[in-house]
Amino acid sequence: MTPLELRAVFAGYARGKDVLRDVSLTFGEGRVTALLGENGSGKSTLLKVLAGLLPPSRGAALLHGRPISEVPRREAARLLGYLPQGFEPFFPATALDVVLLGRTPYLGAFSTPSHRDVAIARAALEEVDASGLEERDVRSLSGGERQRVYLARALAGKPRVLLLDEPTASLDPRHRFLVLDVLKRLASGGACCVFSTHEVDLAARTADDAVLLARGAVLAAGPVRESVTERSITELFGVAACVTPLADGTPLVTLGAPPAACPGGRG
């Protein structure tokens, strides 16, 4: 069964002002999907709909074939991991305490994390190269360090669906590739991973599928090698794009390239 599906979804934050318009998509098991688009194109809104945080004004958002709104919250929390964009901590907490929050759906009422929960949280920190931050107050961390800690929190819940909003935005190159390698490993184990990004070349080299959003509508969707083209990327960002297939067929995207730089001298 398809983990996530949107059927003719309209969604927004004000009555009569939808950000997403007639979006129909499926997200499969064992696949990494990149959401591409300019600021305001609807990427974050789409992720919130998929996470069940924003109900559609029309249409349906399904989790394993059921409307997300009808899935019990604890069950949904065990299935879905969600990393929002730019979360700011307000209270003192160590990185380990923050990651342990990802184990909350597995705890009983008034219970505390077990030794196993702590071990899982520490393993999640290690997976994102953040073990050394375990005892640090998250308020003292840099943006990139904090981003990795909150990703570890999502991973600690061992979700089968992982939704990430701009997960590499604050990261240095090494950790950017580390995070994307984590997504690929999860997908190889059957998870469904969806992330938004502005980094077209990184998305093309990492994702199996891409969804191109323009003004809340789907411009293109499907396997990266079919959806990421010179025409679609140029139309999406309004900047000339050059797409060169690498030896394995992966598209290498260059934005702002002059027509002569593209294969066959095309822009």
Side-chain angles (χ1 to χ4, degrees):
M1 183 177 293
T2 301
L4 288 173
E5 184 177 357
L6 299 179
R7 295 180 180 173
V9 163
F10 292 74
Y13 305 95
R15 186 179 181 88
K17 295 183 179 180
D18 290 314
V19 176
L20 298 179
R21 305 191 317 277
D22 198 19
V23 173
S24 294
L25 295 165
T26 58
F27 301 89
E29 293 180 345
R31 309 285 289 182
V32 177
T33 301
L35 304 179
L36 297 170
E38 294 185 315
N39 291 332
S41 61
K43 302 188 301 298
S44 295
T45 300
L46 191 150
L47 286 169
K48 289 175 183 177
V49 171
L50 291 174
L53 300 175
L54 178 66
S57 57
R58 282 185 283 169
L62 307 178
L63 175 62
H64 290 295
R66 291 185 288 170
I68 293 178
S69 59
E70 296 179 7
V71 178
R73 294 184 65 180
R74 181 176 290 267
E75 180 183 349
R78 290 182 176 183
L79 289 171
L80 285 167
Y82 171 65
L83 176 67
Q85 185 181 162
F87 184 84
E88 292 288 338
F90 297 104
F91 303 103
T94 66
L96 180 60
D97 288 336
V98 168
V99 177
L100 280 170
L101 292 174
R103 299 300 301 164
T104 302
Y106 297 92
L107 303 180
F110 309 111
S111 63
T112 58
S114 66
H115 291 299
R116 180 173 181 271
D117 293 317
V118 173
I120 290 172
R122 285 181 168 146
L125 281 167
E126 183 176 359
E127 191 167 12
V128 297
D129 190 31
S131 295
L133 306 176
E134 182 177 314
E135 298 302 324
R136 294 269 304 276
D137 188 323
V138 289
R139 297 174 301 172
S140 72
L141 302 180
S142 70
E145 289 172 333
R146 195 179 299 158
Q147 187 84 340
R148 285 184 281 134
V149 168
Y150 281 101
L151 174 58
R153 181 184 67 175
L155 297 177
K158 296 189 174 297
R160 299 305 296 164
V161 175
L162 190 59
L163 307 172
L164 309 177
D165 197 354
E166 298 282 356
T168 63
S170 303
L171 302 183
D172 57 57
R174 180 170 72 89
H175 289 110
R176 191 176 298 139
F177 284 106
L178 182 150
V179 166
L180 295 175
D181 283 342
V182 169
L183 297 187
K184 289 191 284 188
R185 285 201 302 273
L186 290 172
S188 69
C192 170
C193 301
V194 185
F195 73 101
S196 66
T197 183
H198 290 101
E199 300 175 274
V200 184
D201 57 335
L202 209 60
R205 282 181 283 170
T206 302
D208 302 297
D209 304 307
V211 174
L212 280 59
L213 285 176
R215 296 176 295 281
V218 177
L219 179 65
V224 163
R225 299 178 189 186
E226 299 173 11
S227 56
V228 175
T229 66
E230 291 173 4
R231 181 185 297 275
S232 66
I233 296 300
T234 297
E235 183 177 351
L236 184 67
F237 292 107
V239 177
C242 178
V243 178
T244 307
L246 300 177
D248 63 356
T250 301
L252 174 65
V253 181
T254 305
L255 294 178
C262 296
R266 299 177 60 248

